[in-house]
Amino acid sequence: MQIAVVFHSGYGHTARQAHAVAEGVEQSGHAKALIVDVARDIPWDALQASAGMIFGCPTYMGGPSAVFKTFMEASSSRWMKQEWADKLAAGFTTSSSQSGDKLNTLVSLAIFAAQHGMLWVSTGLMPGNNVSTGSVGDINRLGSWIGAMAQANFDQGPDIAPPASDLQTARLLGQRVASTARRFAGP
Ligand SMILES: Cc1cc2nc3c(=O)[nH]c(=O)nc-3n(C[C@H](O)[C@H](O)[C@H](O)COP(=O)(O)O)c2cc1C
């Protein structure tokens, strides 16, 4: 079974998040990860062969990056025939501000998946860093349920940002989608 991690990254931060999601898919032991950078040629047949797709892009100007929007619109010929219906879907995004309006990006990705008739998988994670003993090292430190969020300081390169906690949150999303796909595949 294959799960596609379909992403855009302008400056490498979301690419790190995407690779962490893919690691989670593989660590699950249930699926292989196919990493697809939408700035390159898109392997549409391989996407079609995937049990699920995990969409990710940076938050630019409060929404999905234009390059990822181009991919979304390019998928409309698949939408016409509902070719991705009943596949699993999930989402992730990185931005530099703690909020940065990342939620709007994830909502856009969820609506995109819904228009394709896909089945959205949440993070399934309790929020971190919301008690006095919490820290930025907590899993899901940005407290998102609809998808995985990461925050990358804009004066730090992707070798440093986003931090390990956000990358682990991304891995757990990949694991959850792969485990859910395994359950959907039946005995
Ligand atoms: C055109 C543009 C718009 C941006 N808009 C936002 C924004 O709305 N909110 C935010 O928190 N950060 C914003 N940022 C910062 C990026 O989200 C942040 O640098 C992120 O790490 C970039 O991810 P990438 O390296 O994968 O491209 C913006 C950056 C650019 C270049």
Side-chain angles (χ1 to χ4, degrees), residues 90-115:
F92 61 92
T93 189
T94 299
S95 87
S96 56
S97 298
Q98 302 294 314
S99 163
D101 296 323
K102 283 189 274 292
L103 178 60
N104 192 53
T105 300
L106 294 176
V107 169
S108 293
L109 297 180
I111 290 173
F112 170 65
Q115 290 202 351

Side-chain angles (χ1 to χ4, degrees), residues 5-183:
V5 180
V6 185
F7 80 101
H8 168 245
S9 180
Y11 302 92
H13 302 97
T14 314
R16 288 224 54 206
Q17 193 185 22
H19 282 88
V21 170
E23 283 167 20
V25 168
E26 303 246 340
Q27 284 168 357
S28 74
H30 299 308
K32 293 281 177 205
L34 172 73
I35 299 179
V36 175
D37 179 348
V38 300
R40 302 181 183 192
D41 284 344
I42 296 164
W44 295 103
D45 290 345
L47 290 184
Q48 188 62 45
S50 302
M53 298 179 217
I54 310 177
F55 303 117
C57 61
T59 295
Y60 288 169
M61 307 313 292
S65 59
V67 173
F68 200 83
K69 276 289 283 178
T70 300
F71 160 74
M72 290 162 78
E73 292 177 22
S75 75
S76 60
S77 54
R78 273 79 194 169
W79 168 83
M80 291 284 285
K81 296 181 190 160
Q82 288 289 288
E83 290 180 4
W84 296 350
D86 300 336
K87 293 183 185 297
L88 299 185
F92 61 92
T93 189
T94 299
S95 87
S96 56
S97 298
Q98 302 294 314
S99 163
D101 296 323
K102 283 189 274 292
L103 178 60
N104 192 53
T105 300
L106 294 176
V107 169
S108 293
L109 297 180
I111 290 173
F112 170 65
Q115 290 202 351
H116 275 287
M118 302 174 87
L119 307 171
W120 190 257
V121 179
S122 64
T123 61
L125 296 171
M126 291 299 281
N129 201 19
N130 62 354
V131 291
S132 60
T133 53
S135 82
V136 295
D138 291 352
I139 300 299
N140 198 18
R141 67 170 174 130
L142 297 164
S144 177
W145 286 269
I146 193 168
M149 291 183 176
Q151 179 270 330
N153 295 328
F154 72 77
D155 62 346
Q156 292 180 322
D159 51 326
I160 297 173
S165 52
D166 293 350
L167 297 178
Q168 183 59 14
T169 301
R171 272 183 212 102
L172 291 171
L173 180 70
Q175 283 180 18
R176 178 167 160 89
V177 173
S179 300
T180 306
R182 177 70 197 85
R183 286 170 61 192

